[in-house]
Amino acid sequence: MKINHNIFSLPKPIYWLLVISNFIYAFWLNNSFGSFWGWNVSDLADKHMARLEDIVAIAQFVLFAVTVDMSIRHFVVRFNGITKGHQIPAILVQALTIICYGIIGLFGFIMLYDHSAGQILATSGAIGFGIAYVLRETIADIVACIQIQTDGLISIGDQIQVRGDGGGYYEIVQMDRRMVTIKTVLQYTVRVPNRRFINMDYINLSKQTTEMGARRILELDIDSGNDADKVIELLSQAAEYTIKNDPNFFPWYRAFLAKINNGAYTFFLVYECNPTIPPIRSNGIVNISIARFFKLGGINMNSTVEVFKSSEIIDTVKSRIKDVYRLGVLKALNLEQVTRLTDAAQIVNCRANQLLIEKGHTADSMYILIEGGLEVTIPNEQGEQVVVASIWPGDCVGEMSLLTGEPRSANVRAKVHSTLMEITKADIAPIFESHPELIEEVSSVLEQRKAANQLLLNKTIAPDEMEKSIKVLAKKILGFFFNKG
């Protein structure tokens, strides 16, 4: 907010003309009435009809008061124009204007009426004290407004977080002499007196370091039968996934075990996001990511501990796919078909840094990541492997090789120890054979995902072009599975 724009100041030529006119006026008074000062040629205490001397004496005080006021404004505008830090606010200039006219008016009253300065000051002091007592709240608001603007505590559009009980997130939408107007995350407008606002315990999120947003805490109670280290790992993955896929979340988070109480673990996930996002919405986004990773990670959310026999572990891992199969190419299948597919699929464990897929190799299978994390890499011109994508739990990799038999197009390596489900051509062929219409649906899913990726690169695909691509891909899949052209 530029405070200069609210301060009235005369253009420089007119200002200097005003300053010079004081000297010209004083010399004219001396030539016409024998004194440079109007109070030497007029005494308003005498009871007489208004004379020319009285008018010119009062006019000199008015001219001088206007000149002093404009000098203050001229200095402030120049100061604010060359200062990049704290600037002098308009309300302080308005206060100085009132003080300036008040002091010069009082001095003129004393000089022109020839009263005792002590008596006038005592009388005006008593009157001023009474006025100040009656208007004490208004004055306190004005003083607080001056402090707020002079110290640069807030500006229009700033996002603040009020701390303590009943705190929340607000946007500064307006400031005036008495009130600061704020808007809540639910878009309600609230007006707070300046004297109250300046005593609030708040954080100005907009004036923090670059790329620092609102830091919020998500609290989760988990059954103590779960592995605490694994829960923290999955919370960290959920935070990284959210940060990578939503620009409103900043690359900072902390996940840790906060306390143990009555057979339950309490975990905190502290994350950072755009302060304009309401907490209920940002928490919801993070919770969706956490639910995805917890489901695939086998975290028990019940109130009692579930103990699986070793013979049941594989079935348990496979059952997790039913919660997330809609995230990938399998979304074209219904739940019954997915169940048939997972029953036939194999569980694969991949050690950290182990190469899962090698570029150029021929294969007819794909993988669904259940736990862990993968990196997709391709070699650059110097032969170095460059990471081009991350695979998160629930994501698929290698689906084009499964559906068309094409060689692998990139290397895929495990970042950490990972558990995957491998689906082969032999596993999915019976489903395609009994439901051939799924081939076109799967082709549509793949092409739509390809179009979405192109859109991120500001490239659009026309509807007729996409329709043509879907038919080409469906024909290729049909030929690979059933040797049909």
Side-chain angles (χ1 to χ4, degrees):
M1 180 182 65
K2 293 186 177 180
I3 302 173
N4 292 12
H5 294 170
N6 298 326
I7 300 174
F8 171 76
S9 177
L10 291 174
K12 186 181 291 187
I14 299 178
Y15 164 72
W16 285 112
L17 182 62
L18 179 65
V19 172
I20 295 171
S21 66
N22 282 267
F23 296 97
I24 296 174
Y25 196 85
F27 278 102
W28 176 77
L29 278 175
N30 186 55
N31 291 332
S32 300
F33 301 98
S35 176
F36 290 105
W37 311 113
W39 61 78
N40 290 331
V41 299
S42 174
D43 184 4
L44 298 180
D46 294 339
K47 295 180 179 179
H48 60 264
M49 298 295 292
R51 298 176 302 182
L52 178 62
E53 293 89 334
D54 302 331
I55 296 173
V56 297
I58 295 173
Q60 186 180 34
F61 278 101
V62 173
L63 180 62
F64 181 67
V66 172
T67 303
V68 173
D69 179 33
M70 289 299 113
S71 297
I72 294 172
R73 292 171 177 268
H74 182 72
F75 168 78
V76 170
V77 170
R78 290 199 59 189
F79 177 83
N80 287 348
I82 62 176
T83 303
K84 298 187 180 298
H86 295 312
Q87 296 190 330
I88 301 174
I91 189 169
L92 179 57
V93 176
Q94 294 168 2
L96 291 175
T97 295
I98 295 173
I99 293 172
C100 166
Y101 283 110
I103 292 175
I104 295 175
L106 180 62
F107 179 75
F109 182 80
I110 294 171
M111 299 304 296
L112 293 178
Y113 276 90
D114 196 26
H115 288 169
S116 169
Q119 180 181 353
I120 292 297
L121 290 175
T123 304
S124 60
I127 296 173
F129 180 79
I131 294 174
Y133 179 79
V134 173
L135 301 177
R136 61 189 182 278
E137 292 185 354
T138 301
I139 294 172
D141 285 329
I142 293 174
V143 171
C145 180
I146 293 173
Q147 184 178 345
I148 289 170
Q149 295 192 30
T150 302
D151 294 343
L153 301 179
I154 56 173
S155 302
I156 303 298
D158 280 358
Q159 301 287 333
I160 64 170
Q161 177 186 355
V162 178
R163 305 197 297 175
D165 295 337
Y169 295 86
Y170 306 95
E171 178 186 357
I172 306 297
V173 296
Q174 186 179 348
M175 293 184 292
D176 56 35
R177 296 180 184 86
R178 296 201 58 195
M179 300 282 185
V180 174
T181 305
I182 58 179
K183 184 179 291 184
T184 70
V185 294
L186 297 178
Q187 301 303 302
Y188 290 112
T189 299
V190 181
R191 288 172 59 82
V192 182
N194 291 326
R195 64 185 184 279
R196 280 182 50 201
F197 183 86
I198 204 167
N199 291 320
M200 289 169 57
D201 182 13
Y202 67 90
I203 301 171
N204 191 328
L205 300 171
S206 300
K207 295 189 184 301
Q208 301 300 311
T209 56
T210 305
E211 293 301 319
M212 188 173 181
R215 293 189 173 180
R216 296 170 181 172
I217 299 177
L218 200 60
E219 183 176 337
L220 301 99
D221 292 325
I222 307 293
D223 193 289
S224 60
N226 293 287
D227 184 341
D229 289 333
K230 185 176 182 180
V231 172
I232 292 174
E233 179 185 339
L234 292 173
L235 286 174
S236 299
Q237 271 197 313
E240 291 175 7
Y241 175 81
T242 306
I243 290 167
K244 190 173 183 65
N245 290 278
D246 193 324
N248 286 312
F249 289 81
F250 299 165
W252 182 93
Y253 67 89
R254 297 289 185 272
F256 54 92
L257 175 61
K259 60 183 177 180
I260 303 173
N261 186 28
N262 294 328
Y265 291 150
T266 298
F267 293 89
F268 282 175
L269 176 60
V270 187
Y271 64 91
E272 191 173 303
C273 69
N274 189 326
T276 62
I277 305 299
I280 191 171
R281 180 182 166 197
S282 65
N283 286 344
I285 294 171
V286 176
N287 274 324
I288 289 175
S289 298
I290 291 173
R292 168 181 178 168
F293 284 84
F294 276 12
K295 285 278 189 181
L296 287 167
I299 297 301
N300 174 42
M301 302 294 290
N302 296 329
S303 58
T304 58
V305 178
E306 296 180 26
V307 180
F308 295 104
K309 300 177 182 179
S310 58
S311 60
E312 297 175 333
I313 292 177
I314 293 179
D315 291 337
T316 302
V317 171
K318 288 183 177 181
S319 69
R320 301 177 201 165
I321 294 297
K322 298 174 186 176
D323 296 313
V324 296
Y325 75 90
R326 294 181 182 86
L327 297 174
V329 67
L330 299 184
K331 67 186 294 185
L333 280 61
N334 59 35
L335 184 57
E336 179 186 353
Q337 292 162 347
V338 170
T339 302
R340 286 173 55 192
L341 192 59
T342 55
D343 287 342
Q346 298 296 315
I347 300 299
V348 175
N349 290 302
C350 194
R351 298 185 306 276
N353 296 317
Q354 181 179 342
L355 190 64
L356 177 69
I357 293 175
E358 188 171 355
K359 186 177 186 296
H361 279 202
T362 302
D364 61 358
S365 67
M366 79 170 190
Y367 298 92
I368 300 177
L369 180 61
I370 299 173
E371 292 183 44
L374 307 175
E375 286 182 338
V376 181
T377 64
I378 57 174
N380 59 16
E381 295 178 355
Q382 290 75 35
E384 301 169 337
Q385 294 295 321
V386 178
V387 178
V388 294
S390 295
I391 305 298
W392 304 93
D395 289 343
C396 301
V397 63
E399 58 266 35
M400 290 306 293
S401 294
L402 166 69
L403 297 173
T404 65
E406 294 178 352
R408 302 296 197 188
S409 58
N411 297 316
V412 179
R413 189 181 300 274
K415 293 192 290 186
V416 294
H417 181 80
S418 302
T419 301
L420 307 100
M421 178 178 292
E422 182 180 23
I423 298 175
T424 65
K425 176 184 177 182
D427 297 332
I428 201 171
I431 296 177
F432 282 165
E433 187 173 352
S434 57
H435 300 280
E437 71 278 2
L438 288 175
I439 292 178
E440 186 164 345
E441 292 182 30
V442 169
S443 302
S444 178
V445 170
L446 289 171
E447 289 300 324
Q448 287 175 6
R449 188 173 67 180
K450 180 180 176 181
N453 292 335
Q454 292 293 316
L455 191 59
L456 293 176
L457 300 174
N458 295 321
K459 299 178 181 179
T460 57
I461 299 178
D464 55 343
E465 185 179 346
M466 179 180 288
E467 189 68 28
K468 181 179 178 181
S469 299
I470 292 172
K471 292 185 180 300
V472 170
L473 181 57
K475 184 176 180 181
K476 189 182 294 186
I477 295 172
L478 191 65
F480 177 62
F481 274 84
F482 306 110
N483 295 320
K484 295 181 181 179

